[in-house]
Amino acid sequence: QLQTPILSPLVVTDDFKIILPKYQNQEVKMTTLPKVLYFFFLRHPEGTRLKELDKHKSELTEIYKTISNRLNFNTMNKSIEDLCDPLSNSINEKLSSINKAFNDLMIEDLARHYVPIGPRGKIKKIMLDQELITLPNSLFSNTL
């Protein structure tokens, strides 16, 4: 781990890899569904309450379609339904995966800038300065 903690810019490549240039271009690896949730938070710097995620089902589904090579829309829709279901633990599992992906690469004090955080029941958002985040245009296409 770094002796002098520094924030790295976060770059999402055209093929949806999450790269940290100041950490020897390390890739932050996570599976597709946590990545869908992560990209949703990157697109919404104002943050959102987890219990309001169901209002964003169509956007989450579009992100999923954009970054996934899956063609089975039933499976995709079920995954998004579970993610948005307050009675399911899916959202907490995905947030945990996101946290683990960053905590595996850096100390927790730095990782907290990159992951969606916020008090329970309140707005969660990524605290990293927007100027440090680069997203591909495909995550902002008109269909999203």
Side-chain angles (χ1 to χ4, degrees):
Q1 292 182 336
L2 300 172
Q3 297 296 6
T4 315
I6 53 164
L7 288 177
S8 171
L10 182 140
V11 177
V12 178
T13 63
D14 288 336
D15 58 351
F16 308 112
K17 288 186 171 116
I18 302 167
I19 305 293
L20 300 170
K22 288 206 175 158
Y23 297 150
Q24 295 86 40
N25 285 321
Q26 280 196 71
E27 180 181 355
V28 182
K29 295 188 184 221
M30 55 183 96
T31 56
T32 306
L33 211 50
K35 209 178 252 195
V36 167
L37 183 62
Y38 192 68
F39 290 165
F40 172 82
F41 275 103
L42 287 176
R43 289 178 44 155
H44 290 275
E46 73 284 0
T48 192
R49 286 184 174 83
L50 297 183
K51 66 182 179 191
E52 295 174 358
L53 213 50
D54 63 331
K55 296 178 183 170
H56 303 282
K57 273 185 197 162
S58 61
E59 181 179 356
L60 288 160
T61 303
E62 286 305 318
I63 294 170
Y64 202 161
K65 285 179 188 171
T66 301
I67 72 169
S68 169
N69 50 13
R70 278 199 183 161
L71 296 174
N72 185 336
F73 294 121
N74 290 339
T75 308
M76 258 188 226
N77 288 335
K78 172 80 173 100
S79 297
I80 297 297
E81 287 291 331
D82 288 346
L83 188 66
C84 296
D85 180 353
L87 301 177
S88 161
N89 198 35
S90 179
I91 184 71
N92 294 316
E93 292 165 3
K94 304 316 173 267
L95 287 171
S96 181
S97 296
I98 293 168
N99 287 331
K100 181 177 177 0
F102 283 95
N103 282 311
D104 283 353
L105 295 179
M106 60 184 74
I107 59 172
E108 195 174 328
D109 276 357
L110 276 181
R112 66 184 173 80
H113 292 276
Y114 294 90
V115 299
I117 59 171
R120 187 176 184 86
K122 303 278 187 214
I123 289 177
K124 291 200 183 301
K125 63 183 182 175
I126 295 171
M127 304 307 284
L128 189 65
D129 187 327
Q130 285 297 297
E131 292 180 10
L132 292 176
I133 300 171
T134 305
L135 301 176
N137 288 336
S138 54
L139 279 179
F140 289 97
S141 68
N142 291 337
T143 58
L144 290 178

